Amino acid sequence: METVLHTRLKPGMEAEYERVHAIIPAELDTALREAGVRSWRIWRSGLDLFHLVDCDDYEAMRAHLREHPANLPWQARMAGLLEVSDDYSGAEPDIRLVWELP
C-alpha cells in the first residue's frame, strides 16, 4: 500500500534536512523495515516535502514506530527542521488520488 504525505520545512532548513537525510541511521532503517516499510521516497520543492511510503499497513507502521527507541531521536531531530513536528497523534494524511494516467 502506498501512502502520500506532505510536510513542510522551517525556512532556512533545506540544506540541513538534506544533509541529515544523506545517511539514515542503521537502527532507524532496521526499525522501518521491521514495521513493514518497503520503500520511502522524499521529494523537495522549496520548503515543501512530498513523501511516497510503500508499506504493508500505514497505521500499523506508525504504531510500531511511535515509541521505538530508534525513531524517538530521529523525530526529535526532525522537529527542529519541520514547520510542524510529527506527534504521532494518529491523524491520517488527507491526500487523495484525484487522477492518474491509465
Side-chain angles (χ1 to χ4, degrees):
M1 176 177 117
E2 291 183 327
T3 301
V4 177
L5 308 170
H6 172 251
T7 55
R8 188 165 173 82
L9 292 170
K10 291 178 181 177
M13 292 296 149
E14 301 91 334
E16 181 64 7
Y17 184 86
E18 292 188 18
R19 185 191 71 72
V20 168
H21 279 79
I23 300 175
I24 301 298
E27 59 275 10
L28 180 60
D29 182 285
T30 299
L32 289 166
R33 292 176 193 282
E34 289 172 352
V37 176
R38 286 183 287 278
S39 74
W40 192 317
R41 294 183 281 172
I42 304 171
W43 291 265
R44 185 176 68 77
S45 177
L47 298 176
D48 292 297
L49 302 167
F50 303 93
H51 309 246
L52 180 60
V53 183
D54 183 11
C55 64
D56 297 329
D57 180 331
Y58 182 77
E59 289 179 32
M61 179 266 293
R62 300 270 297 165
H64 178 84
L65 294 174
R66 181 174 289 112
E67 298 296 326
H68 196 287
N71 189 45
L72 293 175
W74 182 258
Q75 290 307 318
R77 181 69 184 105
M78 291 301 103
L81 303 175
L82 297 174
E83 205 169 71
V84 176
S85 62
D86 189 349
D87 64 1
Y88 281 73
S89 64
E92 290 300 314
D94 189 26
I95 300 175
R96 294 174 300 281
L97 179 63
V98 175
W99 179 86
E100 71 178 282
L101 181 66

